Each structure stands twice: as structure tokens, then as C-alpha cells.
Amino acid sequence: MSIEHSDFDGTERLALVLDGDIVSTFDTPERVKLGSCELIEEVMIGEDKLVRFSGCPNSQASSIVLRGANTHVVDEAHRSLHDALCVLSQTVKNTAVLPGGGAPEMLMAQAVEEESKRVASKHVVAMEAYAKALRTMPMHIADNAGYDSTELCAGLKAKHHEGRHTWGLEMDRGGLGDMVALGICESLQVKEQVLLSSSEAAEMILRVDDIVQ
């Protein structure tokens, strides 16, 4: 089987998984390391033909095929998949994780509110607004899953005031649960970066003198 018009990125990945060399000519075949695999087949996905390699000796890579009704759906799926893979790569480098499901935001909001009770200045207004902004994250999680965010977040807030700081939103059943027991975690490094970026963006907007339209 021969493959015509293969892009260079795809050729590099094939050489890696097939454990072979990339050559421009066939003048010295004895110096070339040939790749191998158990099966090469042409498959149909929708109206497109793809070549699939199975049983590769260095099978540390895989292909993910994204399909959608239009380019907007495919681009959105590609963005979501890219974000998920980036989070996984950062978690492998830094293995520290936090409970997911909005539990960290609820705990941070509670801590900010408790600290604001000891502040006797106008800074308390900003602290209360910051705590309110933190609680919007669990609300977005519930809204995206199609559940009543107000009821779920009110129940989650009550759980955290009871001292159950590892509890968050469990969207498979549309309720609350212990994120540690359920194995729902988030990367600590990603969470820190999200907080830092959002706080810097809010501070930048507040420094603008004119109205932002």
C-alpha cells in the first residue's frame, strides 16, 4: 500500500509509532530502518477515507477523529479536547490535585467571606464581590449540565458550612457528593492559573477610567 500526499506532521508521527526512518530517496535501502505494524487498512468514516495502522510496535500514540454537523461544532469539540489534553499534560508534570465539582471555589468563597468580617473598611465590598464571583463557577457547572443551579449551589454552600469541604456537584445524577470518594479531581496548577488570570483581568478592568462597552 502507498499513501499519496501525506502531510509531514503525520509522517513524523507514523515514523515514531512504526519505529522506522523518514527518507527522501531509495538510493540506499540497506541503511534505512523499515517500520512495521500488524495491520494497515483503509476505513470509511462518513464520506472520508482514512488509513488506520494497528498493532504498532511503539504504540504510545493514538488518533482521535472528531465529527460534527458543521465546522463550528467540530471547532468547539477540538477546542474542548485540546483544553482537556493540556490539563492532563500539566497534571502529569505536577501531580497535585484538588477536589472538583466546584468544591475549591466554595471553600475559597467561604474563606474570603470569613476574612471580610474582620475588615472595617470599604475593602469589604470588593471582598464580598470576589466571594460572589467564586461561587459562580459551581453555578456554571450546574447550568451547563442542565440542572437547577440555584438549588444545587445553595445545598453545596450549606454542606461547606457544615465542614464538608470536599463536597461538590455530581452531575451524573444531578446532586451533591464527596468529590474525593467519587474520584472527581482538578489540577492544582491549572486552578491556580485560572484564579490568577481572572483576578488580573478584573483588576485591569477596574483600573480603566472610561466605561468599557
Side-chain angles (χ1 to χ4, degrees), residues 46 92 110:
V92 170
Q110 183 179 349

Side-chain angles (χ1 to χ4, degrees), residues 106 135 138 148-164 167-169 175-177:
M106 276 294 182
R135 287 201 174 94
D148 188 350
S149 59
T150 304
E151 182 177 357
L152 287 174
C153 290
L156 183 58
K157 182 179 179 180
K159 291 291 184 183
H160 276 255
H161 277 286
E162 294 174 1
R164 302 180 181 182
W167 278 55
L169 301 179
L176 307 177

